[in-house]
DNA sequence: CCGTATCCTTGACGATACTG
DNA sequence: CAGTATCGTCAAGGATACGG
């Protein structure tokens, strides 16, 4: 689905008048979303929670590379930005469930588009890195 | 173009088997592309070069917030990954032109999709931040 | 079970100065 | 014009230990 694109930008063309006043770029929220989701764990969490709700330790076990500190911090960040919902069940012992909000779910589409690009073109980038002697 | 999406993931669903062996996530190149392009300047440069080729100081003036150091480093990074092509013209004084490679151009589509999402939903995120008392 | 608190390392980034 | 070199700062992230 979705033809590959060597085609026109779209929003980008609109966002960037020619002399590029810089302020335009600062204001442009594209950078913002990349910063929010471009860290080490946010995307992984969003992808996971895109499948079903998870409890805290369930996430901790599932990802396993992540520290408790970063799991908590990343979840809080996503919660603050309204991408993830946190619900506490006052059971004994307590359990906390995390799920995507509708806003968070709406991110899955665009992210998937980028994911498809990455899956398709990552070999090209790897080849380029070899050609240009990054880690030879 | 492209209806909004609260719809299904796609690649993400494929990328993530349920117990999530972590290795799957490490290997998944989605994180990689976000890391490469999620820094402060890469996206801006890609967006700029998506419009036309630029010379070094032209970029430096156009973006203006950027230091020479970071401009050079970011361009080198993008060049190493095959997203940007650097061509030197042995004139006096020397001039160097940067342009997107076809690979780099192919990124504009997916990035634009995410840009559209950001433009549309950034207000929702800002509202959420206020609700959740991030910078109140 | 679900976190917080503390310490430490690393790398991103900016500022400034200098060069072919 | 098109960079490199050096230094300093700051936030992301990991490790470990502790608490409700």
């Amino acid at each position: 689905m979705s033809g590959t694109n060597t085609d026109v930008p779209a929003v980008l063309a609109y966002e960037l008048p020619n002399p590029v006043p810089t302020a335009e770029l600062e204001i442009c929220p594209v950078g913002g979303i990349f910063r929010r989701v471009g860290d080490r764990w946010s995307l992984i969490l969003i992808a996971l929670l895109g499948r079903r709700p998870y409890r805290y330790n369930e996430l901790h076990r599932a990802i396993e590379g992540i520290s408790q500190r970063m799991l908590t911090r990343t979840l809080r960040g996503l919660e603050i930005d309204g991408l993830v919902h946190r619900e506490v069940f006052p059971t004994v012992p307590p359990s906390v469930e995390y799920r995507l909000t509708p806003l968070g779910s709406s991110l899955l589409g665009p992210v998937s588009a980028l994911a498809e690009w990455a899956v398709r073109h990552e070999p090209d980038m790897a080849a380029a890195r070899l050609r240009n002697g990054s880690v030879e």
Side-chain angles (χ1 to χ4, degrees), chain A:
Chain A
M1 61 203 71
S2 79
T4 324
N5 13 41
T6 317
D7 46 303
V8 279
V11 175
L12 289 184
Y14 170 79
E15 291 293 327
L16 300 175
N18 212 313
V20 187
T22 293
E24 295 290 328
L25 292 169
E26 298 287 339
I27 288 172
C28 174
V30 187
I33 183 59
F34 270 83
R35 300 301 287 257
R36 157 115 320 279
V37 131
D39 61 22
R40 183 160 181 185
W41 304 112
S42 290
L43 258 193
I44 297 180
L45 283 173
I46 289 173
L48 265 178
L49 297 176
R51 314 192 83 238
R52 63 173 176 86
Y54 274 79
R55 298 213 326 276
Y56 181 85
N57 272 347
E58 215 176 356
L59 288 170
H60 194 210
R61 278 189 300 271
I63 301 184
E64 184 173 2
I66 197 171
S67 62
Q68 284 192 323
R69 172 189 154 88
M70 286 316 295
L71 178 54
T72 301
R73 278 178 60 99
T74 307
L75 285 170
R76 286 288 182 276
L78 295 173
E79 189 192 359
I80 284 178
D81 281 353
L83 299 173
V84 161
H85 174 71
R86 174 177 182 270
E87 186 166 7
V88 182
F89 298 97
T91 58
V92 187
S95 80
V96 179
E97 203 178 76
Y98 293 92
R99 67 177 69 242
L100 287 190
T101 62
L103 183 60
S105 294
S106 74
L107 236 188
L108 292 173
V111 165
S112 295
L114 202 62
E116 278 187 48
W117 184 94
V119 169
R120 183 176 298 129
H121 294 291
E122 204 274 335
D124 301 337
M125 293 182 63
R129 270 188 292 269
L130 284 183
R131 259 200 315 280
N132 303 336
S134 172
V135 190
E136 56 178 291

